[in-house]
Amino acid sequence: MENRLIITKYSDQYYPPTPNNFTLFLRKSVLFQIIRFFILNYKIMKILIKGHS
Amino acid sequence: MAKILILGAGVAGHTAAAYLQRGLNKKHEITVVSPTSTYQWIPSNIWVGVGRMTPEEIKFDLRPLYKKWGINFIQAKAQNFFPEGDAEIKSAYIEVEYTTKEEAGLKQKIEYDYLINATGPKLNFEATEGLAPGNGNIASVCTFGHASHAWELFQEKLDLMQNGQKQIFVIGTGHPTATCQGAAFEYILNVDFEIKRRGLEKFAEVIWITNEYELGDFGMGGAFIPKGGFISNTKLFAESYFVERNITWIKRAGVKKLDDHKIYYENLDGEYLEQAYDFAMLIPGFAGHGFKAYDKNGADISTKLFTPSGLMKVDADYTQKPFEQWSINDWPETYQNPSYPNIFAPGIAFAPPHSISKPMTSKNGTAIFASAPRTGMPSGIMGKVTADNIIDWIKTGNATMKHKASMGRMGAACIVSAGYGMSKGTAATMTVNPVVPDWDKYPDWGRDINTTMGEPGLAGHWLKWLMHYMFLYKAKGKPFWWLIPE
Ligand SMILES: Cc1cc2nc3c(=O)[nH]c(=O)nc-3n(C[C@H](O)[C@H](O)[C@H](O)COP(=O)(O)OP(=O)(O)OC[C@H]3O[C@@H](n4cnc5c(N)ncnc54)[C@H](O)[C@@H]3O)c2cc1C
């Protein structure tokens, strides 16, 4: 069977981190993402307001 | 009464027009010149290019709005600059050529007291042989028209895959020094998402081709972001995104030429290589529009206003110096032309002092690296500070230039959509603060690590979707539009 090593042959594609199931779950979890939505909005606003005078 | 002339009705020009009409008494005359009468929310072109939105959903006609705001709109393209007037006309003026069907080719001289050149980039497809969209299997998403054609071509390829034919999709940069990698990155992720949504992945090979030294450079020299207990580089972030999706990549590639089925490129090792493709969407190089400028005696002073790339000179430090000596102080703050202080160039129209990413040259001497991007948020902010400075100047009679926005001090947010849908969609929310790394202030990471991030997830899609409606609401000048930030 083809494995990651055979497919990528030690090329650049062999090395990067890949998200595990928990990370993938959090990326799709509606509850977690609602919280992140507000945090991300807050961070963007912070950058924006400080960005010009 | 002051005459303010704005060239271009894109992010920077339209933002400036909106704030000028709000901040100035109606006795002042504001004129906008743009070759098309539509405003387009360019970031949503990505969704037009995969059939998730129609061009009508991302654009609107500016004329009724400008009428309501008391702004004169002229559908034309600027051609020649006369910042001192000439023998006949004593005041500064711009020569424009009409682009409407009825008046095509007709020229007019428009006088001004203050000029905002917000003409954005010339999409320099000609700089890469065979790159023009509409040529065989080549698409673009740089305008809504291009994106609409990209969707037609993509559908043809989806049909072929439905019939069991394997297709190679190559997406990325189409010129050795192209910028705007973020848009191409977004498009490749959306194309991949749509292929997989239809269960066609076994018939598709999706390849990223880029002039970046490493993935995740995005023309900003990459960024360090906190992730999983580490501070890691956006290289890992971008590569991880691709590995997760089985997208392969070719980096350090300067695309030179395309024919119907092959992309010809040179890499930093100086090798000349080829990549087969069935569908290509490659961002072209950006340049200035080739404007000419003349003094009052008719002598050509184009080099006083523009750099060799054709972009406008502003209050940047254009002294040639090695990469190690670059500083955030090289970057402009007011976008004012040093020779003619009543001329400003916010957005992509201004000439950056240099790139942000380290310039790289192949063994054959070809420059292969990402030029500096100027995304929507900074372009909007630059448009606003330009308007604020002109308003102050007109009201007080003094050019105080107290409103400032340097890319070395402001941050930017960019939401990289990677699939559409309120429950299935995903996008990476990326912020960098500041855009140009400030290694003196942040010696470890070049940027503020608390507000520089890259976070994939469903929330990013909601943000991107919200921004689409919010920014179009603002651009349409609906009630309380000015409460929505740039
Ligand atoms: C596909 C795509 C996706 C993108 N996604 C994002 C994103 O998600 N987030 C983000 O922040 N940025 C994004 N960007 C970048 C963003 O669109 C630009 O930063 C922004 O549009 C720059 O604004 P501007 O006003 O300088 O130029 P533009 O918006 O290009 O406006 C230039 C204006 O000048 C007019 N013009 C051209 N020639 C002339 C002439 N001779 N005379 C008069 N007028 C003229 C044009 O018609 C236009 O109205 C994306 C870009 C692309 C191509």
Side-chain angles (χ1 to χ4, degrees):
Chain A
M1 209 185 95
E2 293 213 326
N3 59 36
R4 183 172 174 133
L5 181 59
I6 294 169
I7 297 165
T8 61
K9 301 181 194 75
Y10 285 134
S11 71
D12 280 355
Q13 279 81 4
Y14 179 67
Y15 301 96
T18 322
N20 60 19
N21 286 342
F22 184 62
T23 304
L24 290 175
F25 165 77
L26 285 183
R27 284 184 191 174
K28 288 181 193 142
S29 153
V30 174
L31 197 67
F32 182 71
Q33 290 297 320
I34 288 174
I35 301 166
R36 295 308 301 165
F37 179 76
F38 288 105
I39 295 173
L40 294 173
N41 267 305
Y42 168 73
K43 286 199 174 187
I44 293 173
M45 287 306 288
K46 216 163 103 181
I47 293 175
L48 218 132
I49 288 158
K50 286 193 184 154
H52 52 104
S53 54
Chain B
M1 186 201 81
K3 288 181 185 161
I4 305 128
L5 175 58
I6 303 168
L7 308 177
V11 176
H14 183 59
T15 305
Y19 284 101
L20 280 165
Q21 65 81 30
R22 182 162 185 262
L24 285 177
N25 191 306
K26 293 282 174 262
K27 70 173 192 236
H28 301 293
E29 195 181 293
I30 304 170
T31 303
V32 173
V33 171
S34 191
T36 57
S37 59
T38 45
Y39 179 86
Q40 53 170 330
W41 178 238
I42 297 178
S44 296
N45 278 344
I46 301 296
W47 289 337
V48 174
V50 292
R52 290 301 189 132
M53 278 194 178
T54 61
E56 280 59 44
E57 286 173 274
I58 69 156
K59 66 181 173 94
F60 67 91
D61 189 352
L62 282 166
R63 286 168 298 188
L65 175 64
Y66 283 171
K67 199 168 169 206
K68 187 175 104 190
W69 278 350
I71 293 176
N72 305 318
F73 178 73
I74 296 177
Q75 193 173 331
K77 56 176 191 233
Q79 283 181 327
N80 298 314
F81 289 52
F82 293 83
E84 302 168 4
D86 61 17
E88 259 175 57
I89 301 174
K90 294 292 164 227
S91 74
Y93 73 87
I94 295 290
E95 189 173 55
V96 306
E97 186 181 293
Y98 279 76
T99 53
T100 51
K101 236 190 232 151
E102 306 77 49
E103 293 156 312
L106 191 78
K107 300 216 178 192
Q108 192 188 333
K109 293 171 180 176
I110 308 173
E111 294 173 42
Y112 65 84
D113 299 313
Y114 302 90
L115 175 71
I116 301 178
N117 168 21
T119 45
K122 174 186 166 202
L123 302 171
N124 204 4
F125 291 107
E126 304 91 80
T128 307
E129 197 183 326
L131 183 63
N135 267 1
N137 296 313
I138 299 164
S140 155
V141 286
C142 291
T143 68
F144 64 83
H146 291 169
S148 181
H149 162 259
W151 168 228
E152 282 168 25
L153 192 63
F154 184 32
Q155 282 178 92
E156 283 174 26
K157 306 299 168 189
L158 288 169
D159 288 346
L160 291 174
M161 289 192 290
Q162 301 273 17
N163 295 332
Q165 269 192 49
K166 200 167 170 201
Q167 297 292 300
I168 305 172
F169 294 83
V170 184
I171 294 169
T173 50
H175 186 269
T177 57
T179 181
C180 216
Q181 284 75 11
F185 189 67
E186 222 180 327
Y187 191 59
I188 196 170
L189 295 172
N190 273 272
V191 163
D192 179 70
F193 178 87
E194 295 299 332
I195 291 170
K196 293 196 174 124
R197 196 168 70 84
R198 291 166 174 83
L200 295 170
E201 60 269 33
K202 66 173 184 286
F203 301 110
E205 190 180 345
V206 184
I207 302 169
W208 173 247
I209 190 164
T210 182
N211 56 0
E212 295 158 296
Y213 187 72
E214 292 292 356
L215 263 59
D217 179 284
F218 296 126
M220 305 176 303
F224 288 99
I225 50 173
K227 196 104 270 181
F230 290 85
I231 298 208
S232 57
N233 193 276
T234 41
K235 164 183 157 61
L236 289 187
F237 170 85
E239 288 181 350
S240 171
Y241 239 65
F242 282 169
V243 167
E244 188 189 336
R245 290 165 174 76
N246 223 354
I247 296 172
T248 55
W249 61 88
I250 302 165
K251 62 186 180 186
R252 304 172 191 174
V255 171
K256 296 275 179 86
K257 184 182 148 184
L258 289 92
D259 61 27
D260 278 354
H261 300 285
K262 269 192 192 142
I263 296 168
Y264 302 86
Y265 66 95
E266 179 187 344
N267 64 17
L268 275 181
D269 291 330
E271 298 165 309
Y272 293 97
L273 301 166
E274 296 172 7
Q275 172 60 53
Y277 78 98
D278 299 297
F279 176 101
M281 196 303 289
L282 306 178
I283 302 277
F286 287 175
H289 292 276
F291 298 130
K292 288 271 171 211
Y294 301 93
D295 72 5
K296 59 176 179 293
N297 303 315
D300 191 326
I301 51 161
S302 303
T303 53
K304 217 167 158 181
L305 264 80
F306 306 103
T307 59
S309 66
L311 295 167
M312 187 165 251
K313 286 183 183 168
V314 292
D315 57 320
D317 181 353
Y318 294 108
T319 322
Q320 295 282 318
K321 43 189 162 187
F323 175 74
E324 291 69 27
Q325 288 171 25
W326 289 358
S327 133
I328 60 157
N329 298 321
D330 302 343
W331 289 79
E333 295 181 320
T334 59
Y335 307 93
Q336 191 178 25
N337 179 262
S339 307
Y340 298 95
N342 59 341
I343 301 182
F344 299 83
I348 297 179
F350 87 81
H354 40 66
S355 60
I356 303 173
S357 305
K358 187 173 180 182
M360 301 277 178
T361 316
S362 80
K363 287 185 178 142
N364 312 312
T366 310
I368 304 175
F369 63 94
S371 298
R374 275 140 293 159
T375 54
M377 188 167 145
S379 299
I381 293 175
M382 290 172 207
K384 181 171 189 295
V385 298
T386 303
D388 288 343
N389 281 326
I390 294 177
I391 293 168
D392 281 358
W393 192 345
I394 293 173
K395 284 189 175 166
T396 65
N398 296 320
T400 51
M401 299 294 129
K402 67 174 194 232
H403 303 278
K404 295 185 162 89
S406 157
M407 281 173 55
R409 291 191 186 87
M410 72 169 129
C414 195
I415 321 288
V416 181
S417 152
Y420 194 93
M422 278 308 169
S423 61
K424 298 239 157 50
T426 181
T429 306
M430 302 198 60
T431 59
V432 282
N433 188 23
V435 179
V436 179
D438 183 350
W439 293 102
D440 293 329
K441 192 166 174 191
Y442 308 106
D444 289 334
W445 315 115
R447 297 188 175 94
D448 175 8
I449 211 69
N450 295 315
T451 46
T452 298
M453 59 176 179
E455 182 171 319
L458 183 57
H461 175 75
W462 298 337
L463 261 169
K464 180 99 189 168
W465 185 84
L466 184 76
M467 282 189 179
H468 167 88
Y469 288 102
M470 219 169 64
F471 286 130
L472 275 170
Y473 181 95
K474 181 182 168 96
K476 285 178 182 170
K478 297 269 175 85
F480 304 108
W481 62 265
W482 61 89
L483 291 176
I484 299 172
E486 273 57 61

